[in-house]
Amino acid sequence: MLLVKKKDNYFFQFPALSRFPGLTHAIACRSGGFSRAPFAGLNLSPGVGDEPEAVAANRRRLLARSGGGIHVYTRQNHGTAIRVVSREAWECGEPIQTGPVSADALITNVPGIRLLIQTADCQAVMLFDPQKRVVANVHCGWRGSVADILGDAVSVMSGEFGCDPGRLIAAIGPSLGPCCAEFINYEKEIPRPLWPFRVGPHHFDFWRISRHQLAAAGLAADNVHGPGVCTRCNPHLFFSYRAARKTGRFAALIGMDADSD
Ligand SMILES: [Zn+2]
């Protein structure tokens, strides 16, 4: 990942996605926002106990510093619901939107729409089909991994938009690494087929689980790009639920530019 600075906001970007003209993506780090401790500073989630005015100001700042467009958030609940964001979201003109329905994956082919996933240790997995010009952003915590929400999202991309999984580019956002993904009760929480991804007495490599699930969905291994950055090990850059239970959420965003149609 590459680090980009805009005023006091830091963004990570994946060179594998940056090379496509008309595609915008970023991981917004926690610095440079209006929230106060324990949510300091660019907390993007209204659902963690932060002041609503601060969250709204943070969302407006992210919109301004990440190239504009329409920012579509979702009500994430560690489920497997997938929402296709239609052209109506663009046409209504509201620059920052949170849909009325819960979803843990967003997909669109509408230029100008940016799909946002908020995390603090979970993975945001961004997907892009350079030929069909379709993007997805998937919230993938351990429950999402167990349910294979990544496989479901790829299925919707191919089923509804004709995407060839072998062509998709995937980028796994900063999240809990194998260093910190400790599951003391894994025998109850993690199904046995995922036990081969155990890396210590109680630790799991969820980055490798995602790579495995994306490969099973048809993605080429060379097209899957990992974070290599653990949120809990870098609490100055990212919010981490495991590092501090009461904390904010940072975000991954991806979308085609409005003039790239
Ligand atoms: Zn770690």
Side-chain angles (χ1 to χ4, degrees):
M1 294 194 301
L2 285 176
L3 189 62
V4 177
K5 186 173 189 240
K6 288 188 183 168
K7 297 187 179 172
D8 49 356
N9 289 104
Y10 289 87
F11 299 95
F12 277 103
Q13 293 184 316
F14 291 88
L17 292 174
S18 299
R19 67 192 175 93
F20 293 104
L23 178 72
T24 292
H25 82 286
I27 308 290
C29 298
R30 68 180 291 178
S31 67
F34 297 93
S35 297
R36 295 180 293 190
F39 310 104
L42 195 77
N43 167 42
L44 296 161
S45 173
V48 293
D50 193 2
E51 296 167 17
E53 301 78 22
V55 177
N58 290 337
R59 286 183 166 192
R60 285 195 300 271
R61 171 163 283 185
L62 177 59
L63 179 73
R65 294 199 177 157
S66 60
I70 302 282
H71 278 197
V72 176
Y73 291 82
T74 177
R75 298 178 199 281
Q76 303 165 194
N77 63 3
H78 296 276
T80 54
I82 296 173
R83 178 184 164 216
V84 173
V85 180
S86 68
R87 193 164 289 276
E88 286 169 21
W90 170 258
E91 287 168 351
C92 91
E94 190 64 44
I96 298 173
Q97 305 178 13
T98 298
V101 291
S102 295
D104 284 87
L106 297 171
I107 300 174
T108 196
N109 64 348
V110 181
I113 299 281
R114 312 272 193 247
L115 308 176
L116 283 99
I117 291 293
Q118 310 149 73
T119 65
D121 290 343
C122 292
Q123 298 173 23
V125 180
M126 297 178 283
L127 298 160
F128 176 56
D129 181 340
Q131 187 170 353
K132 298 282 185 182
R133 306 288 294 177
V134 177
V135 290
N137 205 346
V138 184
H139 173 229
C140 189
W142 69 267
R143 288 183 180 84
S145 294
V146 167
D148 191 16
I149 189 173
L150 288 175
D152 288 352
V154 172
S155 291
V156 174
M157 290 179 82
S158 55
E160 295 203 16
F161 296 97
C163 299
D164 173 0
R167 221 166 35 213
L168 295 180
I169 314 290
I172 303 168
S175 43
L176 208 57
C179 40
C180 296
E182 185 178 27
F183 288 79
I184 299 291
N185 299 316
Y186 79 86
E187 289 177 333
K188 289 179 187 162
E189 293 172 340
I190 312 290
R192 195 173 284 267
L194 296 183
W195 288 6
F197 298 94
R198 192 159 56 94
V199 290
H202 304 103
H203 286 66
F204 281 75
D205 188 343
F206 279 92
W207 293 342
R208 208 155 62 79
I209 290 174
S210 290
R211 287 177 175 274
H212 172 77
Q213 292 178 335
L214 289 167
L219 274 76
D222 289 351
N223 285 343
V224 181
H225 303 272
V229 177
C230 170
T231 39
R232 194 187 181 188
C233 290
N234 295 281
H236 55 296
L237 282 173
F238 308 108
F239 296 108
S240 169
Y241 181 76
R242 293 238 181 174
R245 294 281 153 153
K246 201 163 180 59
T247 191
R249 300 289 182 271
F250 65 97
L253 69 92
I254 186 167
M256 274 86 60
D257 298 340
D259 52 9
S260 70
D261 214 353

